[in-house]
Each structure stands twice: as C-alpha cells, then as structure tokens.
Amino acid sequence: MSEEKDYETKGYDTSIIYDYKEMPDIHPGRCDNCGYSHFKSSVKHGVFLRECRRCGMKKSI
C-alpha cells in the first residue's frame, strides 16, 4: 500500500515513542509533527499509546 506524502512535517523521529509528560501537545488534539487530528489508540501494560494515522508519530499518554 503506497501513501502519498503531500503534507508537511516538523521532522520528528516517528520511530520512537514520545512521553506526553516531557512533550505535551502543542495544539490539543492535533499531531505535533503533521497537524492531523485522527489517531489510532491502544493500551498495553497499563500504558495508553496514541499514534497519528497520517505520519505515525507516537506518544505515550
């Protein structure tokens, strides 16, 4: 599946998981990297993980 990258990002490394306590959202409910507002959420081992559906940036909430 190929997805076009016709959006701008701020250059965050999407291969690591950022901690919300250390790096809160710049704009609430939006991805800090691309500004998208849709996320894929999961909970594992009591940790809530939020992943941007567009660029893949992850935050542990």
Side-chain angles (χ1 to χ4, degrees), residues 2-33:
S2 176
E3 184 177 311
E4 287 185 44
K5 288 195 170 193
D6 58 350
Y7 57 90
E8 290 185 32
T9 63
K10 295 193 172 109
Y12 288 98
D13 185 357
T14 57
S15 66
I16 62 172
I17 299 172
Y18 294 93
D19 190 344
Y20 188 83
K21 292 175 190 171
E22 296 172 6
M23 195 173 109
D25 290 343
I26 296 169
H27 300 286
R30 297 239 173 229
C31 175
D32 291 342
N33 193 28

Side-chain angles (χ1 to χ4, degrees), residues 24-45:
D25 290 343
I26 296 169
H27 300 286
R30 297 239 173 229
C31 175
D32 291 342
N33 193 28
C34 69
Y36 203 57
S37 63
H38 290 102
F39 300 95
K40 180 170 58 173
S41 303
S42 62
V43 177
K44 290 185 182 175
H45 307 292

Side-chain angles (χ1 to χ4, degrees), residues 1 3 17 29 31 36-44 47-61:
M1 183 160 104
E3 184 177 311
I17 299 172
C31 175
Y36 203 57
S37 63
H38 290 102
F39 300 95
K40 180 170 58 173
S41 303
S42 62
V43 177
K44 290 185 182 175
V47 177
F48 180 75
L49 186 66
R50 181 181 79 182
E51 180 179 351
C52 178
R53 290 189 180 259
R54 184 192 278 169
C55 72
M57 183 178 175
K58 298 175 195 73
K59 273 194 186 179
S60 170
I61 306 293

